[in-house]
């Protein structure tokens, strides 16, 4: 079956540091890949997505590239802010049916 | 503005009781989903629906049921609550059946089963 593996957290960084959160997946076919973010006390919201190999999703300074050869979709940001503190979830959508499979989530804390 | 709401936001119940969590969306989306969020597991799919009168089991459906009588609502029922069902529950909706469509999430319901 499908699965998503994220780097273990929590991750603590200082403001303006470089961020990488690793995500690898196992899937049949050609899934779409997503990063969702959950701010404290809220539901998840879409951060970015990519639908095919070599696509790069980007939003709010975050980027992730769909790498089929390494089955990865790592999230990066060049300079994090305190307001980026949240839980980040990597997810994949099966090629049919719109159901999402989520990773475990990675808690990010950015200190001033 | 369109939105997705859940009620109650917090619920404490006792083992063996029936509990229903409400989910209401005004996006007019066909697809609706229920997830539970637990530490170390991320979000896991409980049930989902692609339209009125359509319901399907997800990864962790045992002990849960849903019904879809209209487009806007997908209530989640715990038939006989168990302590293992203590969790945070999220409802989500999306417009299309496939094609990397964005899922929009509600604010969540924190359920405690004593």
């Amino acid at each position: 079956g499908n699965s998503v593996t994220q780097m273990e957290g929590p991750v603590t960084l200082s403001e303006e540091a470089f961020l990488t959160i690793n995500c690898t997946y196992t899937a049949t076919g050609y899934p779409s890949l997503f990063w969702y973010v959950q701010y404290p006390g809220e539901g998840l919201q879409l951060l970015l997505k990519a639908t095919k190999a070599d696509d790069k999703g980007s939003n709010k300074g975050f980027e992730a590239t769909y790498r089929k050869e390494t089955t990865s979709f790592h999230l990066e940001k060049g300079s994090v802010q305190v307001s980026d503190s949240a839980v980040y979830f990597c997810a994949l959508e099966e090629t049919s049916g719109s159901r999402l499979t989520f990773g475990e989530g990675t808690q990010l804390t950015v200190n001033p | 503005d369109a939105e997705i709401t859940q009620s109650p936001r917090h619920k404490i119940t006792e083992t063996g009781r029936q509990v229903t969590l409400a989910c209401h969306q005004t996006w007019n989306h066909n697809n609706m989903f229920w997830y539970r969020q637990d530490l170390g597991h991320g979000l896991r799919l409980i049930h989902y629906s692609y339209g009125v009168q359509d319901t399907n089991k997800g990864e962790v459906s045992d002990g849960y049921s849903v019904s879809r009588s209209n487009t806007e609502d997908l209530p989640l029922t715990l038939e006989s609550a168990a302590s293992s069902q203590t969790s945070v529950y999220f409802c989500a909706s999306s417009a299309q059946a496939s094609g990397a469509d964005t899922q929009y999430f509600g604010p969540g319901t924190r359920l405690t089963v004593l």
Side-chain angles (χ1 to χ4, degrees):
Chain A
N2 299 332
S3 66
V4 176
T5 302
Q6 289 182 231
M7 68 182 290
E8 292 187 13
V11 174
T12 303
L13 296 173
S14 298
E15 206 164 24
E16 299 184 2
F18 184 85
L19 169 70
T20 299
I21 301 178
N22 290 337
C23 171
T24 57
Y25 68 91
T26 301
T28 55
Y30 303 96
S32 296
L33 301 173
F34 304 78
W35 279 99
Y36 279 81
V37 58
Q38 183 182 30
Y39 297 104
E42 299 183 7
L44 281 70
Q45 55 186 273
L46 179 68
L47 181 60
L48 53 85
K49 66 183 178 184
T51 59
K52 61 184 186 297
D54 300 324
D55 267 4
K56 178 185 284 187
S58 61
N59 186 24
K60 300 181 181 180
F62 291 89
E63 294 183 338
T65 301
Y66 189 152
R67 300 288 188 199
K68 190 170 185 295
E69 64 277 13
T70 55
T71 61
S72 65
F73 194 55
H74 305 321
L75 182 67
E76 296 182 337
K77 187 175 185 182
S79 176
V80 294
Q81 306 300 311
V82 172
S83 57
D84 294 326
S85 297
V87 181
Y88 292 81
F89 292 93
C90 186
L92 68 81
E93 180 195 74
E94 298 177 15
T95 49
S96 61
S98 77
R99 299 183 296 281
L100 293 176
T101 299
F102 285 90
E104 315 88 76
T106 301
Q107 172 78 57
L108 170 67
T109 301
V110 181
N111 295 319
Chain B
D1 285 349
E3 61 178 356
I4 179 165
T5 58
Q6 295 183 234
S7 62
R9 295 294 310 278
H10 301 272
K11 174 78 175 177
I12 299 174
T13 191
E14 295 178 344
T15 301
R17 290 191 180 268
Q18 183 181 77
V19 176
T20 296
L21 309 183
C23 174
H24 179 81
Q25 52 98 2
T26 58
W27 295 93
N28 199 35
H29 284 164
N30 286 326
N31 305 331
M32 296 185 72
F33 308 85
W34 273 104
Y35 298 90
R36 58 178 289 174
Q37 182 180 24
D38 304 288
L39 274 176
H41 291 279
L43 276 75
R44 292 179 291 176
L45 184 63
I46 305 171
H47 281 285
Y48 59 99
S49 168
Y50 289 145
V52 176
Q53 303 300 331
D54 176 74
T55 61
N56 306 278
K57 294 181 178 180
E59 178 188 359
V60 289
S61 60
D62 286 350
Y64 303 94
S65 63
V66 294
S67 61
R68 187 90 180 269
S69 59
N70 59 53
T71 299
E72 296 80 17
D73 299 290
L74 187 71
L76 177 71
T77 297
L78 286 68
E79 303 294 344
S80 176
S83 57
S84 60
Q85 295 176 309
T86 292
S87 186
V88 181
Y89 292 85
F90 287 99
C91 180
S93 70
S94 67
Q96 298 179 16
S98 63
D101 202 27
T102 300
Q103 287 193 18
Y104 295 86
F105 283 78
T109 295
R110 183 175 296 277
L111 176 68
T112 302
V113 183
L114 301 176

